[in-house]
C-alpha cells in the first residue's frame, strides 16, 4: 500500500500556488452551475467526482473542471486513479495543474477538456505502478 503524498503547504494551504488554476468556484456556485443541490455537490466531492481544496478558508473547485453544466468527462476517473496512487486533494490539484509541455493543453487539467484526455488518464494510471 502506498503512503499518501502530503501537501507541500500543510500550514499555509490557504495560499494559492504557482500551479493553481486561474479561476475558482465556491461550492454554491458549482451547485448553481450544475443545477444541483449543495448536498449533491458535497457528495460528488466525497465520491471523487469533483476536486475541492481550501483557499482563503473556503472550499473551492477549479472553474475549468466544471464545463457547460457538467463535470469534465474523465475527471472522476483521474481523481480516483490519483487517490489510488496515494495523492491527497492538494497533491492531485498540483498534479493536474503542473505545466507539462508534452500535453496538448499544457497541463493535465487543460488537456482533460480536449481530445487527448485519455493521455492524462493513462499518466495518472501509471503513477500507481
Amino acid at each position: 500500500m502506498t503512503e499518501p503524498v502530503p501537501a507541500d503547504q500543510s500550514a499555509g494551504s490557504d495560499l494559492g500556488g504557482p500551479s493553481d488554476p486561474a479561476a475558482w468556484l465556491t461550492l454554491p456556485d458549482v451547485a448553481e452551475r450544475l443545477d444541483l443541490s449543495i448536498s449533491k455537490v458535497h457528495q460528488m466531492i466525497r465520491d471523487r467526482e469533483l476536486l475541492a481544496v481550501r483557499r482563503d478558508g473556503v472550499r473551492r473547485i477549479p472553474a475549468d473542471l466544471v464545463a457547460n453544466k457538467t463535470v469534465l468527462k474523465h475527471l472522476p476517473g483521474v481523481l480516483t486513479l490519483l487517490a489510488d496512487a496515494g495523492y491527497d486533494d492538494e497533491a492531485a490539484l498540483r498534479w493536474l495543474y503542473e505545466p507539462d509541455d508534452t500535453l496538448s493543453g499544457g497541463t493535465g487539467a487543460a488537456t482533460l477538456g480536449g481530445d487527448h484526455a485519455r493521455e492524462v488518464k493513462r499518466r495518472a494510471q501509471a503513477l500507481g505502478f
Side-chain angles (χ1 to χ4, degrees), residues 43-124:
Q43 184 65 44
M44 292 174 75
I45 293 166
R46 281 191 300 275
D47 292 344
R48 295 200 179 277
E49 295 175 29
L50 276 174
L51 175 66
V53 294
R54 288 207 182 271
R55 294 294 183 263
D56 300 323
V58 177
R59 288 179 82 188
R60 298 176 189 268
I61 295 173
D64 50 354
L65 299 181
V66 182
N68 302 328
K69 296 195 178 249
T70 186
V71 175
L72 293 181
K73 180 179 178 181
H74 295 280
L75 179 64
V78 169
L79 293 176
T80 298
L81 290 167
L82 291 174
D84 289 349
Y87 282 64
D88 64 13
D89 290 343
E90 284 288 341
L93 179 77
R94 279 193 311 277
W95 188 85
L96 283 169
Y97 285 93
E98 187 70 32
D100 186 340
D101 294 337
T102 64
L103 291 173
S104 63
T107 66
T111 304
L112 277 177
D115 295 335
H116 301 285
R118 291 182 194 269
E119 175 63 15
V120 177
K121 201 169 186 179
R122 186 194 65 74
R123 291 181 186 194

